[in-house]
Amino acid sequence: MDKDFGVSRVLEPKGVVPVTAWKLDNSMEIADDEVLIKIEKINVEWDSFQQICSSCGFNENRIRAKVMDIIEKRGKLHNPFTGTGGCLLGTVEKIGKDYGDGGISPGDRIYCLASLCGIPVKIDEISKIDFNYGQMDVCGHAVLFQASPLVHVDESLRESYSMSALNEAGCLFTARNMAEERKAANVVVIGRNACTSVIYASAVKKAVAGASVTAIIDENLRGDLTVDTIEKAVFPVVDHVIMTDLSDPTEAYRNMKDDGQCCQADFIIVAEDIYGAETLAVFMAKPSGCIYFTTVDNHYAIAQTVAESMGKSVFMYLFDQYIRDYPDFTMDVVRSAKDVLDRLDDMYEEKKAPSSMTESRAKSLDLSKAGRAGDFIYKSPVTARMVEEVLNIAKYDCNVIIQGETGTGKEKIMSLIHQNSERHAMPCIKINCATIHENLAESEFFGYEPGSFTGASATGKKGYFEMADNGILFLDEIGSLPLSMQSKLLRVLQENTFYRVGGTKQISVNVRVVAANNVPLRELVNSGAFREDLFYRLNICCIDVPPLRNRREDIICLAESFVKGWSRKYNVSRKLSTGALDVLYRYDWPGNVRELENVIHRLVISAAGSSISASRTARILSESAGEDAFTIAVDLEEKNHVDFHEIMERQEKQLIEYAIRKGGTTRKAADILGLPQTTFARKKLKYGL
């Protein structure tokens, strides 16, 4: 198994396969069962290409730097934001003696269809970026394994569209078989561009002679070209071309019907991942028609929901997996459409490359790349799993404990529970227990009768439990409640009844309690600061909210969301540069999401222009964290010397502050720094912390 696909190349985490690993060994000394390839061109998976271009503002130098950075960090081209890679074209340089008969020899030019997510890659230079195909001319090397599927280059076909087609190899083969099985006479291809549409149309026409194929392409990709120009270029492989705004499927379908263009298709291929394409496919499918999604990113699940809501019976299929025979079929498809693909390629050469992402794709990316549950935004798989758990727990009417560091978003989690529970239409009362004075706690929770104590209102007052009746009571920082109040809280949770202060009438309530704390309640129980019986009454379900440093994918989508929000508030235009995003991504965020929002707020206000730079971001972070690295660098540039002892004291103070913030208690802070608690306490006292 190891020899087949390179498990021994995995550096971290050990025990996984290369395509899912975070980092590979990309040293170019090959083992006996490996092949060394000199890379000429890479075809970046389209979703990944668009994300990289967008994050770099379509600046070619930044795009080059971004791709090189991904490879340097991961040992492969594996975009952490999309989880995808691409494929490559190169020349065989060296073959290990135990590689076996792979049908290749040194000097052969080959396409490798194995995902760049799973093979070791080194890139020395990126000389050209083709925005039309999502391809890059490069100088570098890659290591392939026995299981890596290879195809010899057909020199009579252009590399651009050949690589684009091979990237769709398995999908094309399946599309052809499905068209033949259903005897599809009327076919629609919703493609990401004219080239993709031609390739799928050609595959379909190999299966069904005389089939009519309509290509639907996003209007925003047209540029200066007319529909007639595109239609002439793709004919006779594609019979009709419709350009429309895929991100507004309802309006698009209405316009097509009004123009007499709308057809009810036997078979629809969705090869575009813009949100809306899946809905348009459902609109256009005949009853009992067939829709084929070439990737899971094409919103298969949404299409199912749309069809169900329309009461429309449609057969839907999703691409399964790669099979070794697919490339030969794909190259036959390309050869049969060569003349049309050559015309398109010439047209692309003349077409000016886009300077920004199309509006519809940007809109789709906003909707799809950051998960969203209510106003809880995320991208990390860690957060996705937590949100799935929260939504499941929300359905069960039980008490819940939410644990996590300060600023991680525990209140957002509580809101998710409320919005998705059977109590969503009832009140949700949010209380910060740390702000309640011990002497007033009982009256705040249970209310009081008129004149029950000095200063009491003449009309009396409802407490938190009465206010939350039939709803949810959120008790944040519950660990700060005194033990005397904890015992009274326990009684209410056990019996669902209480008396107001100064009252004699027993009051019954039906309240779901969600408690939160920044220190695990089990630790407080062990230290005697929290009642064990109350802990068990609350701990029916427990949700641990991970700190931001453990879900770094969330940093980028949260930061960009905060930038948009503050920009709207102040009526300004601000955007984080690639360098700024990188600085944010690398920072440890001891204050978690709350600190991130504060930093973004300051950046939006202080930015001189529309772009927020890396240097400004680093400066704000230095101020936020009390770090001196930036200051030291400036001092060394402006002076010829610095005070070593002063700097070391500042650094020591900074470490003590950081440990206190992260640990919460002196004991935990001392453990973080590996110091005895007495030593840590002395240093804390020294700096007046």
Side-chain angles (χ1 to χ4, degrees):
M1 181 186 293
D2 184 2
K3 292 183 177 182
D4 284 343
F5 55 93
V7 174
S8 60
R9 287 277 183 169
V10 174
L11 294 179
E12 56 182 76
K14 289 291 187 181
V16 302
V17 295
V19 75
T20 59
W22 277 105
K23 190 169 186 179
L24 298 184
D25 171 11
N26 66 349
S27 58
M28 292 295 118
E29 288 296 323
I30 64 168
D32 289 341
D33 58 333
E34 296 175 337
V35 175
L36 182 66
I37 301 292
K38 183 178 180 181
I39 309 175
E40 302 172 27
K41 186 188 290 283
I42 56 176
N43 188 104
V44 184
E45 192 276 332
W46 188 249
D47 201 28
S48 174
F49 182 75
Q50 287 287 307
Q51 189 278 327
I52 291 171
C53 291
S54 177
S55 67
C56 298
F58 279 74
N59 179 289
E60 292 201 24
N61 289 332
R62 292 178 184 172
I63 294 169
R64 290 185 178 93
K66 184 68 174 178
V67 172
M68 301 279 275
D69 184 60
I70 291 172
I71 293 171
E72 182 179 349
K73 289 175 181 173
R74 311 201 67 178
K76 56 178 180 171
L77 182 53
H78 186 172
N79 187 337
F81 296 99
T82 62
T84 53
C87 59
L88 65 83
L89 159 67
T91 303
V92 178
E93 277 202 350
K94 187 177 180 182
I95 303 175
K97 63 183 180 66
D98 294 334
Y99 175 75
D101 184 15
I104 56 172
S105 304
D108 287 355
R109 296 182 75 231
I110 54 94
Y111 298 110
C112 174
L113 275 63
S115 172
L116 294 174
C117 288
I119 59 175
V121 172
K122 272 188 177 179
I123 301 293
D124 301 313
E125 181 186 5
I126 300 174
S127 56
K128 180 183 176 183
I129 301 174
D130 187 332
F131 289 96
N132 290 308
Y133 290 100
Q135 296 173 0
M136 301 181 185
D137 291 349
V138 304
C139 180
H141 287 81
V143 175
L144 308 184
F145 313 114
Q146 289 181 348
S148 304
L150 308 177
V151 180
H152 282 88
V153 172
D154 183 337
E155 302 293 350
S156 69
L157 303 172
R158 299 186 190 181
E159 297 160 0
S160 51
Y161 56 69
S162 295
M163 290 190 79
S164 185
L166 286 167
N167 206 41
E168 307 278 346
C171 305
L172 286 171
F173 192 78
T174 305
R176 181 256 182 213
N177 287 347
M178 292 177 68
E180 182 179 51
E181 179 183 327
R182 302 188 69 83
K183 297 180 174 57
N186 197 346
V187 179
V188 169
V189 179
I190 304 179
R192 68 173 58 101
N193 53 34
C195 178
T196 305
S197 302
V198 165
I199 291 167
Y200 277 102
S202 180
V204 165
K205 288 192 171 183
K206 275 185 168 293
V208 183
S212 173
V213 180
T214 298
I216 299 181
I217 305 170
D218 184 42
E219 169 74 21
N220 293 291
L221 289 171
R222 183 170 64 179
D224 297 330
L225 300 172
T226 65
V227 174
D228 286 344
T229 302
I230 297 172
E231 199 162 65
K232 286 177 183 176
V234 299
F235 189 81
V237 177
V238 174
D239 300 280
H240 307 286
V241 174
I242 299 174
M243 306 292 289
T244 190
D245 184 356
L246 291 176
S247 66
D248 191 349
T250 305
E251 185 66 18
Y253 184 66
R254 185 179 295 117
N255 290 339
M256 282 190 280
K257 286 185 71 175
D258 291 345
D259 294 342
Q261 295 178 313
C262 186
C263 58
Q264 292 290 292
D266 304 310
F267 181 37
I268 300 180
I269 300 169
V270 183
E272 172 58 276
D273 59 358
I274 289 178
Y275 264 105
E278 76 293 326
T279 301
L280 184 60
V282 175
F283 285 162
M284 298 191 70
K286 284 182 177 178
S288 299
C290 176
I291 303 176
Y292 173 51
F293 294 86
T294 62
T295 75
V296 71
D297 287 333
N298 293 353
H299 320 305
Y300 170 84
I302 294 175
Q304 287 185 315
T305 306
V306 171
E308 184 178 294
S309 70
M310 294 172 61
K312 193 172 190 177
S313 176
V314 180
F315 295 97
M316 298 186 192
Y317 300 90
L318 185 63
F319 168 62
D320 186 11
Q321 63 180 27
Y322 170 87
I323 295 178
R324 194 171 283 274
D325 290 340
Y326 289 174
D328 290 338
F329 171 77
T330 300
M331 296 312 293
D332 284 343
V333 168
V334 173
R335 290 185 190 99
S336 67
K338 180 181 182 302
D339 291 343
V340 169
L341 291 169
D342 282 343
R343 282 202 303 271
L344 278 177
D345 198 51
D346 291 338
M347 192 171 71
Y348 282 161
E349 281 293 321
E350 298 171 3
K351 180 183 174 184
K352 184 180 178 182
S355 58
S356 63
M357 184 177 290
T358 66
E359 181 181 347
S360 51
R361 186 166 294 278
K363 178 179 175 182
S364 181
L365 209 59
D366 280 345
L367 289 167
S368 64
K369 293 310 155 198
R372 186 180 289 269
D375 58 353
F376 196 88
I377 301 168
Y378 60 92
K379 179 65 174 67
S380 164
V382 173
T383 314
R385 286 192 293 271
M386 180 193 67
V387 170
E388 183 178 359
E389 179 188 10
V390 170
L391 295 178
N392 179 58
I393 289 172
K395 296 181 294 185
Y396 299 96
D397 199 40
C398 62
N399 296 332
V400 180
I401 293 175
I402 305 173
Q403 298 179 157
E405 295 178 9
T406 299
T408 50
K410 296 187 289 296
E411 188 171 330
K412 296 285 189 185
I413 294 296
M414 186 281 306
S415 296
L416 272 184
I417 293 173
H418 180 232
Q419 292 162 9
N420 293 277
S421 74
E422 62 183 24
R423 299 175 184 258
H424 63 88
M426 304 308 291
C428 180
I429 307 301
K430 304 174 185 178
I431 306 300
N432 188 330
C433 298
T435 64
I436 302 174
H437 194 283
E438 183 174 351
N439 295 333
L440 298 175
E442 186 175 358
S443 62
E444 292 289 343
F445 275 95
F446 308 128
Y448 58 82
E449 296 295 341
S452 56
F453 56 85
T454 303
S457 169
T459 58
K461 179 185 175 184
K462 285 185 177 182
Y464 300 143
F465 273 94
E466 280 185 88
M467 294 164 62
D469 192 22
N470 293 316
I472 292 177
L473 179 60
F474 176 58
L475 302 178
D476 197 10
E477 301 303 334
I478 192 174
S480 64
L481 287 177
L483 288 169
S484 59
M485 189 61 222
Q486 291 179 28
S487 63
K488 294 171 182 175
L489 181 60
L490 173 64
R491 185 173 184 83
V492 180
L493 294 181
Q494 288 175 332
E495 301 179 6
N496 296 318
T497 61
F498 62 90
Y499 293 91
R500 284 185 177 182
V501 174
T504 57
K505 179 184 176 182
Q506 184 171 271
I507 298 173
S508 298
V509 290
N510 175 13
V511 174
R512 181 180 186 180
V513 174
V514 177
N517 211 57
N518 63 347
V519 177
L521 290 179
R522 168 52 73 185
E523 291 186 18
L524 297 183
V525 169
N526 294 340
S527 66
F530 199 82
R531 292 182 62 107
E532 187 170 21
D533 46 6
L534 177 57
F535 171 73
Y536 286 123
R537 180 62 62 176
L538 292 169
N539 190 33
I540 307 304
C541 292
C542 185
I543 298 165
D544 289 300
V545 185
L548 195 53
R549 61 183 173 276
N550 291 346
R551 45 187 176 108
R552 290 189 179 273
E553 296 93 334
D554 292 346
I555 294 170
I556 302 302
C557 63
L558 284 168
E560 292 183 330
S561 175
F562 291 148
V563 167
K564 289 178 182 177
W566 291 118
S567 295
R568 281 195 301 268
K569 177 177 175 61
Y570 296 115
N571 195 27
V572 296
S573 176
R574 298 285 188 267
K575 185 176 181 180
L576 290 160
S577 68
T578 306
L581 288 170
D582 189 57
V583 170
L584 295 172
Y585 186 83
R586 292 171 183 270
Y587 181 60
D588 212 29
W589 299 107
N592 293 293
V593 180
R594 187 175 294 126
E595 182 185 8
L596 173 61
E597 184 170 18
N598 175 268
V599 167
I600 296 298
H601 192 173
R602 295 168 65 189
L603 285 169
V604 168
I605 291 173
S606 63
S610 61
S611 179
I612 298 172
S613 67
S615 60
R616 181 173 294 276
T617 305
R619 186 185 293 275
I620 294 289
L621 283 177
S622 295
E623 294 170 1
S624 173
E627 295 177 350
D628 290 315
F630 186 83
T631 306
I632 294 168
V634 172
D635 285 348
L636 286 171
E637 287 177 4
E638 296 179 351
K639 308 171 186 177
N640 291 324
H641 70 280
V642 293
D643 188 323
F644 175 80
H645 298 290
E646 178 189 344
I647 288 171
M648 293 307 294
E649 283 201 353
R650 287 187 349 225
Q651 293 291 323
E652 186 175 64
K653 180 182 178 183
Q654 168 196 322
L655 279 172
I656 300 297
E657 287 178 325
Y658 172 78
I660 292 170
R661 285 199 307 270
K662 186 173 180 181
T665 66
T666 301
R667 180 181 61 79
K668 292 182 98 177
D671 289 343
I672 289 169
L673 297 181
L675 293 174
Q677 190 171 353
T678 53
T679 303
F680 184 88
R682 284 198 302 271
K683 291 183 179 293
K684 181 181 174 186
L685 185 62
K686 172 184 175 182
Y687 294 113
L689 301 174

